[in-house]
């Protein structure tokens, strides 16, 4: 099976010690975000966890622990955007993150790392031309360290609307103009652009619109075939075919406090939740509570051990 660490929060950036403690102890407890007394216990044994997927804006805190991760397959998406502190208050500067991206790529290999340039927002400061110019500078630096670049345009969720009221949806015209330019630049630097849940509009210009965390993505990282149950493949209105892994994070816990974030509802709630974090707890936030009902997940290895092949 596949464990996700970055859909609800940025575990590598803020909770790396906790994650390594969980790996050492061999299990993690995860609260249902919609029914908090419902708790699922997941084994983190390499015998049942085929791959750990990381989504982060700052991989640096995990770099000292890479040797302990060698029993697992890995796939890393590192989000690197050129926004300033007004948009991403606590994200390290772009140059620093790119340096750490290159170190990480040298460790895990280009098949196991992708660059996310998202979300793309357009306003008086962050114009279409600005994005194209900044993307080219960054692509030149990351050339040779990844073959994948995922892009998406800002979604105005309710949380985003509340925390970033000045944000506007990007027009179809601007999405096409930006997307087409980014595809051309990425191709020049040996990368394939994969739009994230953006439909097929950019396929005509050379984008791979099949999804960003697909079976093929993880098979290439593992150099093995995966037998993934159909129910674990996203069927979200045909938007993509990404694998639905198990997320061990928690909402309202990401300390980056990006204004466009869909996973944080309120800055003050994030600060209060982070005070409840104990690196030694089996829960990311807090401890066990009266009324908790713990369900032990059924877990199965998805790697087809009978059929190995290379993806070169």
């Amino acid at each position: 099976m596949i464990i996700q660490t970055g859909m609800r929060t940025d575990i590598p950036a803020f909770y790396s010690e906790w994650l390594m403690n969980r790996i050492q102890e061999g299990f993690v407890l995860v609260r249902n975000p919609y029914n908090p007394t419902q708790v699922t216990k997941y084994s983190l044994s390499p015998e049942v966890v085929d791959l750990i997927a990381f989504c982060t804006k700052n991989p640096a805190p995990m770099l000292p622990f890479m040797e302990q991760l060698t029993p697992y397959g890995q796939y890393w998406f590192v989000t690197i955007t050129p926004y300033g502190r007004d948009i991403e208050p606590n994200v390290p500067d772009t140059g620093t993150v790119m340096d750490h991206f290159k170190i990480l790529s040298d460790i895990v290999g280009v098949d196991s790392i992708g660059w996310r340039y998202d979300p793309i927002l357009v306003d008086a400061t962050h114009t279409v031309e600005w994005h194209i110019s900044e993307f080219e500078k960054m692509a030149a630096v990351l050339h040779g360290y990844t073959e994948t670049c995922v892009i998406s345009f800002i979604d105005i969720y309710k949380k985003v609307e509340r925390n970033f009221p000045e944000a506007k949806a990007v027009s179809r015209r601007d999405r096409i103009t930006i997307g087409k330019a980014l595809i051309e630049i990425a191709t020049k630097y040996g990368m394939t652009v994969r739009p994230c849940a953006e439909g097929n509009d950019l396929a005509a210009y050379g984008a791979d619109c099949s999804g960003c965390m697909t079976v093929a993505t993880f098979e290439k990282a593992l150099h093995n075939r995966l037998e993934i149950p159909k129910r674990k493949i996203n069927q979200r209105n045909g938007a993509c075919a990404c694998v639905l892994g198990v997320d061990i994070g928690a909402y309202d816990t990401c300390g980056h406090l990006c204004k466009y974030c869909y996973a944080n509802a309120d800055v003050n709630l994030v600060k209060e939740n982070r005070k409840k974090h104990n690196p030694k707890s089996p829960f990311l936030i807090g401890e066990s509570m009266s009324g908790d009902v713990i369900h032990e997940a059924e877990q199965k290895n998805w790697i087809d051990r009978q059929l190995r092949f290379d993806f070169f």
Side-chain angles (χ1 to χ4, degrees):
M1 64 172 297
I2 292 169
I3 295 289
Q4 295 276 2
T5 70
M7 308 300 287
R8 299 173 182 169
T9 193
D10 193 331
I11 288 177
F14 299 105
Y15 305 107
S16 57
E17 181 185 355
W18 173 82
L19 178 60
M20 299 317 299
N21 286 338
R22 292 297 87 229
I23 286 175
Q24 185 174 359
E25 292 192 37
F27 75 97
V28 62
L29 297 180
V30 182
R31 292 193 183 280
N32 183 324
Y34 307 106
N35 184 0
T37 60
Q38 187 179 78
V39 177
T40 304
K41 180 179 180 180
Y42 295 104
S43 168
L44 294 180
S45 166
E47 294 182 2
V48 293
V49 175
D50 302 306
L51 181 142
I52 302 178
F54 298 91
C55 290
T56 182
K57 287 181 167 67
N58 179 16
M62 285 295 296
L63 293 178
F65 303 115
M66 296 306 294
E67 186 173 345
Q68 289 97 306
L69 292 176
T70 52
Y72 303 90
Q74 298 174 56
Y75 196 89
W76 289 78
F77 271 123
V78 182
T79 300
I80 317 176
T81 51
Y83 301 120
R85 299 284 181 178
D86 56 327
I87 304 294
E88 298 175 338
N90 299 320
V91 177
D93 69 85
T94 301
T96 298
V97 181
M98 288 196 293
D99 287 343
H100 291 141
F101 184 105
K102 292 190 285 186
I103 294 171
L104 182 60
S105 176
D106 285 339
I107 295 171
V108 301
V110 295
D111 289 345
S112 294
I113 190 168
W115 167 33
R116 295 189 72 100
Y117 185 91
D118 74 327
I120 298 169
L121 61 95
V122 175
D123 57 26
T125 301
H126 312 98
T127 63
V128 169
E129 294 75 20
W130 180 85
H131 278 290
I132 295 170
S133 174
E134 293 299 315
F135 183 87
E136 171 120 31
K137 295 173 189 174
M138 297 168 69
V141 174
L142 299 177
H143 173 51
Y145 291 94
T146 184
E147 296 174 351
T148 298
C149 179
V150 174
I151 66 170
S152 70
F153 298 90
I154 189 168
D155 289 307
I156 310 299
Y157 297 109
K158 289 295 183 183
K159 292 178 183 179
V160 177
E161 197 173 50
R162 182 169 56 250
N163 296 324
F164 194 9
E166 63 270 36
K168 305 296 180 185
V170 181
S171 70
R172 185 177 186 276
R173 178 180 177 180
D174 285 349
R175 292 200 307 270
I176 295 296
T177 301
I178 293 171
K180 183 179 178 182
L182 268 50
I183 291 164
E184 291 175 355
I185 294 167
T187 301
K188 181 168 69 172
Y189 291 105
M191 303 176 198
T192 297
V193 166
R194 297 176 182 267
C196 178
E198 293 291 340
N200 296 314
D201 284 351
L202 296 176
Y205 305 105
D208 181 344
C209 297
S210 63
C212 52
M213 294 188 185
T214 62
V215 175
T217 300
F218 294 142
E219 285 182 335
K220 189 173 181 181
L222 290 166
H223 294 175
N224 270 296
R225 285 199 185 276
L226 292 170
E227 296 182 332
I228 297 179
K230 289 185 178 180
R231 71 180 186 279
K232 292 293 184 181
I233 307 299
N234 187 17
Q235 301 297 328
R236 182 179 49 182
N237 299 320
C240 68
C242 288
V243 177
L244 301 174
V246 171
D247 197 301
I248 62 173
Y251 292 119
D252 297 305
T253 61
C254 185
H256 291 309
L257 302 180
C258 300
K259 293 182 71 174
Y260 51 71
C261 181
Y262 66 87
N264 286 343
D266 179 79
V267 171
N268 291 325
L269 181 58
V270 172
K271 292 177 180 178
E272 288 302 311
N273 281 339
R274 294 194 65 202
K275 290 177 184 178
K276 299 174 186 175
H277 173 68
N278 175 3
K280 296 183 179 180
S281 172
F283 294 91
L284 181 65
I285 300 298
E287 310 287 343
S288 59
M289 302 187 301
S290 62
D292 281 349
V293 178
I294 299 177
H295 166 72
E296 193 155 338
E298 295 183 10
Q299 295 176 243
K300 181 182 178 182
N301 183 285
W302 290 343
I303 291 179
D304 181 356
R305 301 292 180 183
Q306 302 303 313
L307 186 60
R308 292 175 176 269
F309 61 96
D310 289 331
F311 288 78
F312 300 103

